[in-house]
Amino acid sequence: MATVYCSECGSKNKSKDIHCTKCNSTLKTDKISYGEKITSFNKLITKENYQILSDTYFTSTMYQGVLDEIIRIGKNKFTYDENDTALNNIINLADQYVDIYSKRKGSSAGFYIANQIYFEERSTDAEKIGTIIHELTHHLFAEIFEQFLMYALCVEKTKYIEAYVLFTFIPPNLQLLNEYVAHTTEGQFIIHGCQNYGSFIKIMEENHIKLEEVKELLALGRAVSNDITMILEEFIDENLRKRIIQQYTIDNVPRRFDQIEFEEVEEMPEDFKSEFIGVLLRGPMDACLKDKKIMEILRSRLDVFN
């Protein structure tokens, strides 16, 4: 269990605590200490750490603790403003977790990289909302993996932890998983019929992946999407959700209904979800230990965090 130090009185608290047990002040997540600070890949990629990841059982209780921690990061700062637009509230929510910027070039509606979200300024407000929720989901998905790694190894978050998780998502099947989670989560907050799995389908087609070959991964994706939806629902209440839907109506975003079927993937059972994430985290470390060339690919991912 991580330790949270109260910024007011300095007392130690558990990471699950919302308020200091001594002075009742709201605890700040930037005071969390998981122990050692990883300052190089040589410290992270070791046989000892691989063994720890292999031996650690990621329980459902531990997983819920990770979700609670991610919620608290945002709740420390985010305040819903009913007098502001739905778009500005979503931008404010995303801003609690990442740096967010608008762009005015390129064909993409937006993208996420290294704790930064970019969305297309020329889009309608409704499309901006959908894009930001989609890209924020990428960040929250990575955050779940990072928290798992920090918990297992008892280390603090550094750019080496973040780069390792980014590296984890390189294989096409895990890119597919990442996009599936983002599309499915986005779909829970936009108007019914506007679900668009375009980037998911593109990865599947470019890599000749068949749905039946990745059923287990998509089952994990469906389950994690539900969890990230639950995180976002801590901030996007029914009022804000209705305002998002209204914005889609105002902007007359076309409804197609031809891709909603992707939402109907069977969810991975709770007992397997946490352990499956642990398996995905171990794979890249094993590969790096066996092949120096793969280790160099990992090193190259660090540049985006500088």
Side-chain angles (χ1 to χ4, degrees):
M1 179 72 70
T3 298
V4 183
Y5 294 91
C6 177
S7 58
E8 296 298 323
C9 70
S11 298
K12 290 183 179 181
N13 295 268
K14 296 179 180 179
S15 62
K16 66 180 181 179
D17 295 331
I18 302 298
H19 299 96
C20 178
T21 54
K22 185 173 182 180
C23 72
N24 204 40
S25 296
T26 300
L27 296 172
K28 305 293 193 246
T29 54
D30 56 5
K31 294 295 182 182
I32 290 178
S33 173
Y34 279 90
E36 184 184 358
K37 182 174 286 189
I38 298 292
T39 56
S40 72
F41 285 124
N42 289 335
K43 285 188 175 182
L44 177 61
I45 309 299
T46 66
K47 292 180 179 179
E48 291 75 16
N49 282 343
Y50 176 76
Q51 192 60 50
I52 290 172
L53 287 177
S54 299
D55 294 341
T56 301
Y57 177 66
F58 295 95
T59 65
S60 57
T61 301
M62 174 262 171
Y63 183 80
Q64 186 58 51
V66 165
L67 300 182
D68 291 342
E69 182 63 28
I70 294 172
I71 290 170
R72 193 171 61 154
I73 290 171
K75 278 203 166 181
N76 276 341
K77 304 173 185 177
F78 176 76
T79 302
Y80 169 56
D81 185 354
E82 63 181 8
N83 296 316
D84 208 346
T85 65
L87 172 59
N88 284 341
N89 273 285
I90 294 301
I91 289 174
N92 186 25
L93 168 57
D95 195 45
Q96 309 315 309
Y97 291 97
V98 297
D99 295 324
I100 185 164
Y101 307 96
S102 62
K103 67 181 186 71
R104 293 186 61 85
K105 62 180 182 179
S107 60
S108 68
F111 60 90
Y112 166 78
I113 185 69
N115 304 322
Q116 297 179 336
I117 286 175
Y118 292 83
F119 65 92
E120 179 51 62
E121 181 62 37
R122 296 166 292 180
S123 300
T124 65
D125 281 8
E127 290 166 329
K128 291 173 187 173
I129 289 170
T131 295
I132 293 168
I133 292 174
H134 180 105
E135 304 305 336
L136 179 57
T137 299
H138 283 311
H139 175 79
L140 297 177
F141 191 30
E143 186 71 33
I144 289 172
F145 274 65
E146 289 162 13
Q147 292 283 341
F148 265 60
L149 198 59
M150 292 158 62
Y151 174 89
L153 302 181
C154 196
V155 298
E156 294 185 35
K157 183 186 290 188
T158 64
K159 61 184 179 181
Y160 296 94
I161 295 293
E162 293 178 304
Y164 179 83
V165 170
L166 178 65
F167 174 73
T168 299
F169 294 145
I170 286 178
N173 61 337
L174 293 183
Q175 290 181 34
L176 192 74
L177 169 64
N178 203 345
E179 285 302 323
Y180 181 78
V181 172
H183 281 299
T184 304
T185 304
E186 174 192 352
Q188 307 312 301
F189 296 95
I190 65 177
I191 198 166
H192 189 243
C194 288
Q195 288 83 349
N196 181 344
Y197 282 77
S199 55
F200 168 80
I201 294 171
K202 182 179 179 181
I203 292 170
M204 191 166 56
E205 290 177 346
E206 288 180 347
N207 295 279
H208 308 290
I209 299 172
K210 297 179 180 179
L211 283 178
E212 57 267 25
E213 297 172 345
V214 289
K215 285 179 65 175
E216 195 171 37
L217 272 180
L218 296 188
L220 172 65
R222 175 73 260 193
V224 174
S225 173
N226 289 345
D227 296 328
I228 295 177
T229 296
M230 180 272 295
I231 291 173
L232 293 176
E233 284 175 340
E234 291 288 327
F235 309 97
I236 303 175
D237 63 11
E238 283 306 308
N239 183 34
L240 180 52
R241 204 182 209 128
K242 288 178 182 177
R243 293 176 65 195
I244 291 172
I245 299 301
Q246 288 171 353
Q247 192 64 57
Y248 270 77
T249 302
I250 291 168
D251 292 338
N252 198 26
V253 179
R255 301 171 74 180
R256 295 172 29 177
F257 298 100
D258 61 328
Q259 295 183 14
I260 294 180
E261 62 179 318
F262 288 115
E263 289 186 1
E264 298 174 359
V265 170
E266 184 177 350
E267 181 180 350
M268 179 173 283
E270 188 73 24
D271 292 344
F272 296 105
K273 178 174 57 179
S274 299
E275 187 56 28
F276 203 102
I277 292 175
V279 170
L280 295 180
L281 278 171
R282 290 196 293 271
M285 190 170 293
D286 185 38
C288 287
L289 288 169
K290 291 177 178 177
D291 192 333
K292 291 183 179 180
K293 290 182 180 179
I294 295 178
M295 183 70 166
E296 289 307 311
I297 297 174
L298 169 59
R299 294 185 194 281
S300 71
R301 292 302 182 272
L302 191 63
D303 294 342
V304 298
F305 292 96
N306 291 333

